[in-house]
Amino acid sequence: MHTSDSAIDTHCPYCALQCGMRLRPEPGGATVAVEERTDFPVNRGALCGKGRTAPAVLSSRVRLTQPLVRTHAGQLEPATWEEALDAVAAGLARTGRTHGPDAVGVFGGGGLTNEKAYALGKFARVALRTSQIDYNGRFCMSSAAAAHQRAFGLDRGLPFPLADIPRTGCVILVGSNLAETMPPALRYLTELKAGGGTLIVIDPRRTRTAEQADLHLAPRPGTDLALALGLLHLIVAEGRVDEEFIAARTTGWEETRAAAMAHWPELVERITGIPVPRLREAVALFCAPESAMVLTARGPEQQSKGTDTVGAWINLCLATGRAGRPLSGYGCLTGQGNGQGGREHGQKADQLPGYRKLTDPAARAHVAEVWGVDPDSLPGPGRSAYELLDALGTDVKALLLMGSNPVVSAPRAAHIEDRIRSLDFLAVADVVLSETAALADVVLPVTQWAEETGTTTNLEGRVLLRRRAITPPPGVRSDLDVLHGLAARLGVEKGFPTEPEEVFEELRRASAGGPADYSGITYARIEAEQGVFWPCPQGPEGPGGSEGSPGTERLFLDRFATDDGRARFVPVSHRDAAEVPDADYPLLLTTGRVVAQYQSGAQTRRVDELNAAAPGPFVELHPRLAARIGAVEGSPLAVTSRRGRAVAPARITDTIRVDTVFMPFHWPGEGRANTLTNPALDPTSRMPEFKVCAVRVEPA
């Protein structure tokens, strides 16, 4: 590993905080050390264990350093880059010729930089001419994105900076365990409380985050929608509605109020298990101060009714005038490192760069002009992520996959693993030999965060610049190099540059005038300003000029992004999860993360310090349930759903509901939580119902 002599300011490769850090070569240049970067406003120097140990994955001991091609004997063997790229191009082209372009699929990731996500979407539509592209961000925040679009006309995870959170009066945190998923962000909640604000946490488990709360509500998994409706009912009944705000800045209130009034408190208590006095307490805490926020994460979003559930929480903000005003509003705590930017620039099935709609003729014309192609040549929308994976081996016969590990991360994972195995051809570009890469016909070893330059967009909508700090090992190339090489082999000689800044300059032009307008953002501005908030149209002085747009730190203060500038109330009603407990499967399973591992664990499971802290999967259950089924702490438990069976040690705790068990989803093998999860999809966002399914639990 080669390094430069000076320290490099960059950002963590993991979650959507994109914490600032400084990388410094250690003596001898074999490794880099992570140092605090206290000047970066998001984390102010704080890092979690994953960020501190991120350089461990740079080691050639744990990562891929040469291409692998599967031989006739069925083994993955080292190959040259020319051989590997020739094999990928041949496999994709052969499938396209034989079965049509839509028989070739592309699956991206929420960890790809904006440049790579942009290039991947362009590659699918220009070089492959396929509509079949989506990405794993569909599994992360797509329900919140859909609800954002429906209510506000624009989707940005947080419409305000994180720094506003401690200054508001009350935060309702729904289905988020920040203390484990984004530890440096927990300080915003502790500062909120230190300043006299209140915190309400909604989670079926009493997590480390819930322990910080002034009020913790533990609803039955899958009932967050009923809970939000019940709170809105009480707000109406107690005369706490902001009629002036509703009249001036919204539409659709009458229908929404009628829907909420059908969810009276006693009914909501029966559905959620939360006593009426606690519901009233939550309303009083939320409505008492002048300002308040609702923040959601995967808990309410990863449901087959996730869009409506998030919409109900947005309705709560609108009804009380807690949106479009300083220190108030609804926000989504985006999960993946570039989950925000990854869904803005074209690797999603229905989108073009700049968060443009693929079905919009004007959007197609604009992007086609930037790309130098005929708008009619651009394919239409394709399948969403789970539907694309489910179609593998039947309608979609070849797949190029970058930066994702669906063998571990997809719902109904055993079925998806079977679909992947049934492909005629699979190529995977990754940093490590993930469980999915191990099934590939060709594996391409690519650069990672500290070895490449590129932008990401954090959960605030702040566009950031990761700087290359070290030279990648010989035999490793960037994803941009991969796409350039494949496009040339497929007959597209131009349009796929390998320099990230050149790609970003094209992205700026492609996004100009779109909802996510990056045209006024440059690498130089990002460095000078500690990130730039989008939308940021190009100013009159030209790119990056001092008279250009300052970026938009806070959205919706003057108007919402709808045609008439008003926010949209959307009436919703509670409905059950796609699967409810019965005699055969009497319990509820919910899934989530632990602090020392990340997503499918493909990278963090290769770090000794993190494995020591979180060595494997477990099943969390209440002592009363443990006594009923004869479970003993640490003994193996079998958890069975209609889709499969997983086995992991028991972890007995009174911090979880008696009717619920919890499993983290970071591990493959017999403890794979996603073997159990339900792929029932939200009708709007196409988000699978990761967060709730019916199971039975017994000693293994």
Side-chain angles (χ1 to χ4, degrees), residues 139-141 143 297-306 591 665 687-692:
F139 298 159
C140 189
M141 72 297 292
S143 292
R298 307 301 80 77
E301 298 164 16
Q302 287 181 328
Q303 298 186 30
S304 60
K305 53 182 182 296
T591 63
F665 56 71
M687 165 74 84
E689 192 152 55
F690 286 99
K691 279 294 183 274
V692 52

Side-chain angles (χ1 to χ4, degrees), residues 638-698:
V639 184
T640 307
S641 76
R642 288 177 174 84
R643 289 152 297 281
R645 179 177 186 263
V647 178
R651 183 173 292 183
I652 301 171
T653 174
D654 64 0
T655 60
I656 191 169
R657 290 177 56 97
V658 179
D659 58 3
T660 301
V661 295
F662 167 84
M663 290 185 71
F665 56 71
H666 310 289
W667 287 274
E670 69 170 6
R672 180 174 61 185
N674 278 319
T675 298
L676 309 167
T677 49
N678 191 353
L681 301 181
D682 180 289
T684 303
S685 68
R686 316 308 287 168
M687 165 74 84
E689 192 152 55
F690 286 99
K691 279 294 183 274
V692 52
C693 69
V695 296
R696 66 173 179 267
V697 182
E698 57 215 342

Side-chain angles (χ1 to χ4, degrees), residues 461-542:
R462 188 194 300 254
V463 184
L464 303 166
L465 185 63
R466 288 188 196 157
R467 279 288 190 191
R468 173 170 164 156
I470 56 174
T471 303
V476 172
R477 296 185 183 180
S478 78
D479 297 272
L480 296 179
D481 282 307
V482 169
L483 294 175
H484 173 85
L486 292 179
R489 285 166 171 79
L490 294 169
V492 182
E493 297 286 345
K494 295 182 179 179
F496 291 92
T498 59
E499 284 301 317
E501 191 165 8
E502 187 177 347
V503 178
F504 189 77
E505 289 300 306
E506 183 179 305
L507 181 158
R508 292 176 59 212
R509 298 197 306 275
S511 72
D517 190 335
Y518 282 35
S519 62
I521 304 175
T522 63
Y523 278 20
R525 276 196 67 181
I526 295 170
E527 282 200 297
E529 300 172 30
Q530 296 280 32
V532 181
F533 290 85
W534 72 261
C536 182
Q538 188 168 317
E541 295 299 309

Side-chain angles (χ1 to χ4, degrees), residues 593-642:
R593 287 169 47 190
V594 296
V595 66
Q597 300 288 353
Y598 183 71
Q599 305 299 69
S600 75
Q603 295 184 45
T604 51
R605 285 187 276 111
R606 288 167 166 80
V607 179
D608 292 341
E609 180 180 328
L610 300 179
N611 284 331
F618 56 86
V619 182
E620 189 176 283
L621 71 166
H622 193 276
R624 285 184 2 225
L625 174 59
R628 195 161 78 224
I629 66 172
V632 177
E633 178 74 21
S635 64
L637 287 182
V639 184
T640 307
S641 76
R642 288 177 174 84

Side-chain angles (χ1 to χ4, degrees), residues 110-271:
L112 300 180
T113 62
N114 290 317
E115 292 81 358
K116 292 191 281 188
Y118 170 84
L120 188 62
K122 181 181 180 182
F123 177 80
R125 295 177 176 111
V126 173
L128 296 175
R129 300 288 182 92
T130 181
S131 67
Q132 300 303 303
I133 175 171
D134 211 72
Y135 83 126
N136 64 13
R138 180 80 67 170
F139 298 159
C140 189
M141 72 297 292
S142 58
S143 292
H148 251 134
Q149 294 276 15
R150 202 161 70 174
F152 304 134
L154 184 71
D155 160 45
R156 198 179 84 185
L158 294 180
F160 40 73
L162 284 160
D164 282 1
I165 292 174
R167 300 166 57 209
T168 193
C170 177
V171 169
I172 300 181
L173 186 66
V174 191
S176 169
N177 183 13
L178 273 181
E180 301 218 27
T181 60
M182 296 179 171
L186 190 64
R187 67 166 47 171
Y188 291 104
L189 301 181
T190 57
E191 289 170 5
L192 166 79
K193 294 189 64 181
T198 53
L199 174 64
I200 302 169
V201 172
I202 296 167
D203 197 306
R205 305 162 63 222
R206 192 172 75 248
T207 62
R208 286 173 50 202
T209 308
E211 287 174 353
Q212 308 289 319
D214 298 283
L215 176 64
H216 171 218
L217 305 179
R220 186 174 293 114
T223 64
D224 308 86
L225 176 52
L227 175 56
L229 285 160
L231 297 181
L232 184 53
H233 177 112
L234 286 170
I235 283 167
V236 174
E238 295 177 4
R240 298 178 183 269
V241 171
D242 189 333
E243 300 283 2
E244 185 178 339
F245 176 87
I246 290 171
R249 300 202 58 192
T250 72
T251 64
W253 168 236
E254 293 303 323
E255 298 87 346
T256 296
R257 179 174 60 186
M261 297 317 286
H263 297 76
W264 60 94
E266 292 76 16
L267 172 65
V268 170
E269 178 179 322
R270 288 205 300 274
I271 294 171

